[in-house]
Amino acid sequence: MPIFEYLCVSCGHVFETIQYGNGEKVSCPKCGSPELSKLLSATSSLSGSKPDGKIPGMGDTGCCGANPTSRGCVPGSCCGKA
């Protein structure tokens, strides 16, 4: 099920919604307006967790953190754990 992000032209509210088909009518949950602009959502390809138990942040590469080479990461693995 695709999740789409919209900006309401009427009130400026930004929201996400699951859309089951192209014909489905979507309206703003805040003001009810059908005047929407579909936004381009950022995707994430990070997985796993960092060794300190925290989730990856901006610039991090999965569980390897911001500097994967310092932890022995190799392509196709997580922190060198093949």
Side-chain angles (χ1 to χ4, degrees), residues 1 14 25 28 47 53 57 71 78 80:
M1 291 178 269
V14 175
K25 301 291 181 198
C28 176
S47 63
R71 300 198 190 232
C78 185

Side-chain angles (χ1 to χ4, degrees), residues 9-57:
V9 176
S10 298
C11 72
H13 181 62
V14 175
F15 65 96
E16 293 178 345
T17 187
I18 296 174
Q19 220 172 335
Y20 297 98
N22 286 341
E24 184 179 353
K25 301 291 181 198
V26 179
S27 59
C28 176
K30 187 172 180 182
C31 73
S33 173
E35 306 264 341
L36 306 174
S37 177
K38 192 180 282 189
L39 300 176
L40 182 61
S41 300
T43 60
S44 174
S45 61
L46 295 176
S47 63
S49 63
K50 292 166 60 172
D52 56 7
K54 296 179 183 174
I55 61 171

